[in-house]
Amino acid sequence: MKGFRSRRWLVTLVALLALGAAAHRAARAPQSGTTPMSAADSLRARDYVRTLADPKWEGRGIGTAGIDSAANWIAARMKSAGLVPAGESLGWFEPFEVTTGVVAQAPCAVEADGRRFDLGAELQPLGFSTNGTARARLVFAGYGITAPGYDYDDYAGLDADDAIVLVLTQEPGEMDSTSRFDGSINTPFADLRTKAINAREHGALGLLVVNGPRYHAGEPLRPPASDGGGYMTSGLLAAQVDEDAANLLLASAHVTLADAQMAIDHGEHPHSFAIPDSARVTVNLKRTRATTRNVIGLIPGRDTTRTLVMGAHYDHLGYGGPSSLAPDSHEPHVGADDNASGVTAMLLAAERMTARVRHGWKPAHTLEFVAFTGEEIGLVGSSHFTDDSPAPPTRLRPFETIEAMLNMDMVGRLRKNQLQVMGVGTAAEFDTLVSMTNRDAALADFEIHRSQDGYGPSDHSSFYKRNVPVLMLFTGSHVDYHKPSDTWDKIYAAGLVRVSHFAEALVESLDARPKPTFTRAKSDVSAGRIAGGGGYGAYLGTIPDYMKTEGGVLLSGVRSGSPADQAGLKGGDVIVRFDGIRVDNIYDYTFALRSRKPGQQVRITVQRGGAEVDLVATLGRRP
Ligand SMILES: [Zn+2]
Ligand SMILES: [Zn+2]
């Protein structure tokens, strides 16, 4: 908490900054409808961010009570601003169900040689296991790694077909800087899901993993990961067992786990073998579901067939999880910049616009304001809005009336007057629109950095994939990104207010114009995970749709000129097989891409319009 002195100092500073900006603006032509920023605006912005980013709202994680409170608060703000509720059944909310994770239930067991290991300290299923029972012969496959790039294959000469495979966690030569692997830091081959997919691709029915006694003796087993996409199935039974269970499984081969590990680590080559025994594995995981809600309000326009959308996601990472950059922290990730700032900018714009409506203004378009949920777990709120929203009369506006979408994500840390505007290439008119608005609007005059692409790691992607022109405002990343330290006191409120005015002015300019002309933008190679295969060996240039979590990888598009484009892959295709590797979800797909090299030709099978189509692509290097 800030003390009184520093608080007052801050108020004074904000007021001075606001005066400076106002004086700067006063020297120019006065603007219709917008008033110069006051210190009160900054305080209001700060207050909104602080409310949304309060730790009591639990980092606005999906499935928490905190995110529900945040949604209710946003709806209350929309109501008091004078917006019309525009969610389902004409309420403020658009609710839908998402999978939040898995929990293990009895019975989960491994049985061998007359002994049984049950759910608890000796056995924990892995979150990506299938459910069911298998009885099969056993094989020991070392670390379970096939890594041609490191000239290492635990499965070489081993018949794992229809077997249950026992493997060690980690990778050979852990803690050894001379290891053929990276030694001190694990490679992606140590990832348990990678081991599971590898076992499956070698024909295994089940995978049992155990911590090697060399460096991980006695470590407790963790319950199945219950966040992110951890529940997406790997297509085989998978569980972790303790060392005692592993030693019992190995007993008939007259080897201990410690010996087997030493044989690999000291011999520096695989040491896999069949075990003359069988085991029975049972896994029973239950998926947990949660209802989550978009919050929607609107200003009715003169023409009911035309809509403009302003949006910002209000969810964040909850208590951490796989997207956290402070992975060992279980503090609320309060997300002040990401994205209490965007929601605040949107609410402030809505408040000013409804105030003008009360003074007689009526926009040509219906102006729809949407606080999206589930952005952090894969754009699920905006995907629901664009793909699965119920049609009228349950929802007020059909999707087809949307002429453009303006997104704000992380707009609370304006530095050196630099504002990033993305999506400028998605409509023929946007370049001019952005320049003119920046020149003419009150409190604008940013140093603007443009990028063309409509795909990017936020909710505007969901609109762009449905051929809606999009713009996205962003004040840049920072060291607190996706960490608990992204707190309200680091927000630059006066900058946030200016971004909010700029967003309002963009929407106002769009409202005064004919429908913008949608264009396919040049791809922006720095778009991160949305690019598909991000950061790994080979590059294809596909853009996966993260809403589909099984039955193949649905593409929302491909990057123009990419290997995928040249091979004839298209948006709407569902990749089900990649060079012989079965693809059920994004993890399989990542595994497949990682296991192939740039320059290789691969056969890709897609489902397209009810038929399977085979395409051949030559993999590229990430541009
Ligand atoms: Zn965000
Ligand atoms: Zn984020």
Side-chain angles (χ1 to χ4, degrees):
M1 289 284 281
K2 297 265 175 202
F4 175 71
R5 279 167 70 94
S6 63
R7 180 88 176 271
R8 194 168 64 170
W9 176 84
L10 226 145
V11 171
T12 311
L13 177 70
V14 167
L16 284 172
L17 284 167
L19 281 173
H24 172 67
R25 298 307 314 174
R28 300 167 144 210
Q31 294 309 305
S32 66
T34 43
T35 48
M37 178 171 50
S38 68
D41 291 334
S42 288
L43 289 175
R44 191 174 185 79
R46 178 170 290 263
D47 184 48
Y48 281 12
V49 171
R50 187 179 184 175
T51 301
L52 282 163
D54 193 302
K56 75 169 189 255
W57 283 355
E58 302 181 85
R60 306 184 304 283
I62 302 299
T64 62
I67 194 174
D68 284 339
S69 302
N72 293 341
W73 181 84
I74 292 165
R77 299 295 351 134
M78 287 183 171
K79 185 177 179 190
S80 77
L83 294 181
V84 175
E88 212 167 284
S89 308
L90 307 186
W92 293 103
F93 305 110
E94 187 179 57
F96 58 95
E97 276 214 328
V98 289
T99 301
T100 53
V102 287
V103 286
Q105 296 180 312
C108 289
V110 171
E111 295 156 88
D113 213 9
R115 275 202 60 192
R116 180 185 164 105
F117 300 90
D118 279 305
L119 181 63
E122 21 186 50
L123 170 85
Q124 286 288 340
L126 294 166
F128 46 73
S129 176
T130 52
N131 279 336
T133 296
R135 181 177 187 89
R137 66 192 180 84
L138 282 162
V139 298
F140 176 74
Y143 287 89
I145 290 173
T146 300
Y150 292 93
D151 193 22
Y152 184 90
D153 185 5
D154 283 310
Y155 286 89
L158 185 73
D159 176 12
D161 216 26
D162 289 333
I164 291 168
V165 180
L166 175 67
V167 304
L168 293 154
T169 59
Q170 314 293 331
E171 61 191 24
E174 189 188 0
M175 317 268 179
D176 174 2
S177 59
T178 66
S179 162
R180 76 168 78 218
F181 287 86
D182 291 350
S184 48
I185 297 175
N186 277 341
T187 67
F189 295 105
D191 178 57
L192 293 182
R193 183 187 287 269
T194 302
K195 295 187 184 197
I197 299 171
N198 195 33
R200 182 193 81 203
E201 290 302 311
H202 283 93
L205 299 176
L207 176 78
L208 297 173
V209 301
V210 59
N211 281 323
R214 255 186 107 186
Y215 299 110
H216 300 276
E219 277 182 21
L221 307 188
R222 295 183 188 194
S226 62
D227 42 24
Y231 59 86
M232 286 186 218
T233 176
S234 59
L236 83 175
L237 295 166
Q240 186 159 16
V241 294
D242 73 353
E243 194 181 334
D244 286 351
N247 276 326
L248 182 95
L249 297 176
L250 288 166
S252 61
H254 307 290
V255 187
T256 66
L257 189 64
D259 291 343
Q261 184 176 27
M262 280 302 187
I264 304 169
D265 281 15
H266 285 180
E268 292 177 7
H269 54 74
H271 183 69
S272 303
F273 48 86
I275 302 168
D277 202 351
S278 65
R280 184 182 163 91
V281 178
T282 303
V283 172
N284 184 17
L285 290 170
K286 182 169 164 268
R287 288 190 180 187
T288 52
R289 308 269 292 166
T291 298
T292 192
R293 302 177 293 173
N294 292 327
V295 192
I296 314 174
L298 59 74
I299 297 174
R302 296 194 302 269
D303 185 343
T304 56
T305 66
R306 305 181 71 190
T307 305
L308 297 170
V309 174
M310 186 187 285
H313 76 87
Y314 72 97
D315 69 300
H316 194 50
L317 305 178
Y319 293 94
S323 301
S324 171
L325 294 179
D328 295 328
S329 164
H330 300 289
E331 298 291 302
H333 288 48
V334 292
D337 189 28
D338 188 9
N339 186 29
S341 69
V343 174
T344 296
M346 177 178 78
L347 289 173
L348 295 176
E351 286 170 4
R352 288 190 303 267
M353 290 166 120
T354 48
R356 289 169 56 202
V357 167
R358 285 193 289 277
H359 288 97
W361 177 63
K362 186 153 191 180
H365 297 72
T366 292
L367 307 181
E368 198 160 7
F369 299 87
V370 191
F372 293 108
T373 184
E375 190 272 348
E376 301 285 11
I377 60 168
L379 317 182
V380 302
S382 54
S383 294
H384 181 79
F385 184 91
T386 57
D387 295 349
D388 304 322
S389 264
T394 314
R395 221 175 78 82
L396 220 49
R397 305 288 136 200
F399 182 81
E400 290 64 34
T401 65
I402 298 173
E403 293 188 359
M405 190 271 181
L406 174 70
N407 187 28
M408 287 182 279
D409 195 348
M410 300 174 67
V411 293
R413 299 240 193 157
L414 185 74
R415 277 154 298 179
K416 296 181 180 164
N417 198 33
Q418 294 181 353
L419 179 66
Q420 298 194 35
V421 181
M422 305 174 189
V424 177
T426 64
E429 299 83 356
F430 276 179
D431 213 39
T432 310
L433 177 96
V434 168
S435 298
M436 285 176 57
T437 307
N438 191 41
R439 195 188 62 211
D440 297 339
L443 306 171
D445 206 12
F446 293 100
E447 188 187 309
I448 288 185
H449 296 263
R450 292 156 207 256
S451 60
Q452 305 296 311
D453 205 347
Y455 288 119
S458 188
D459 293 310
H460 55 289
S461 282
S462 301
F463 290 78
Y464 181 61
K465 79 182 183 195
R466 298 271 318 259
N467 296 348
V468 174
V470 293
L471 287 171
M472 146 85 169
L473 308 183
F474 172 48
T475 53
S477 200
H478 43 77
V479 290
D480 302 305
Y481 172 71
H482 279 203
K483 292 180 189 163
S485 54
D486 177 11
T487 48
W488 69 274
D489 53 301
K490 293 171 191 152
I491 294 294
Y492 174 40
L496 199 167
V497 171
R498 286 181 59 209
V499 173
S500 163
H501 276 273
F502 186 61
E504 177 188 355
L506 284 171
V507 168
E508 198 183 329
S509 309
L510 284 165
D511 185 55
R513 288 164 176 256
K515 180 178 178 174
T517 315
F518 177 77
T519 51
R520 262 292 141 222
K522 209 171 94 237
S523 69
D524 169 13
V525 294
S526 65
R529 72 188 180 112
I530 299 291
Y536 305 120
Y539 172 71
L540 191 55
T542 49
I543 298 151
D545 185 322
Y546 290 90
M547 274 305 271
K548 186 172 167 67
T549 57
E550 57 197 10
V553 168
L554 170 66
L555 301 183
S556 49
V558 297
R559 300 196 165 269
S560 53
S562 67
D565 192 14
Q566 285 163 16
L569 283 150
K570 303 194 280 208
D573 284 350
V574 178
I575 298 179
V576 293
R577 190 158 277 277
F578 182 103
D579 214 24
I581 297 171
R582 193 181 96 194
V583 176
D584 184 56
N585 55 43
I586 193 72
Y587 295 100
D588 294 334
Y589 183 52
T590 304
F591 174 90
L593 268 174
R594 196 192 279 150
S595 66
R596 298 295 184 271
K597 291 194 190 118
Q600 270 187 307
Q601 266 203 350
V602 293
R603 180 174 297 276
I604 299 168
T605 308
V606 299
Q607 284 169 354
R608 181 185 289 171
E612 287 204 346
V613 180
D614 275 339
L615 301 162
V616 175
T618 304
L619 296 173
R621 203 171 287 283
R622 274 192 76 70

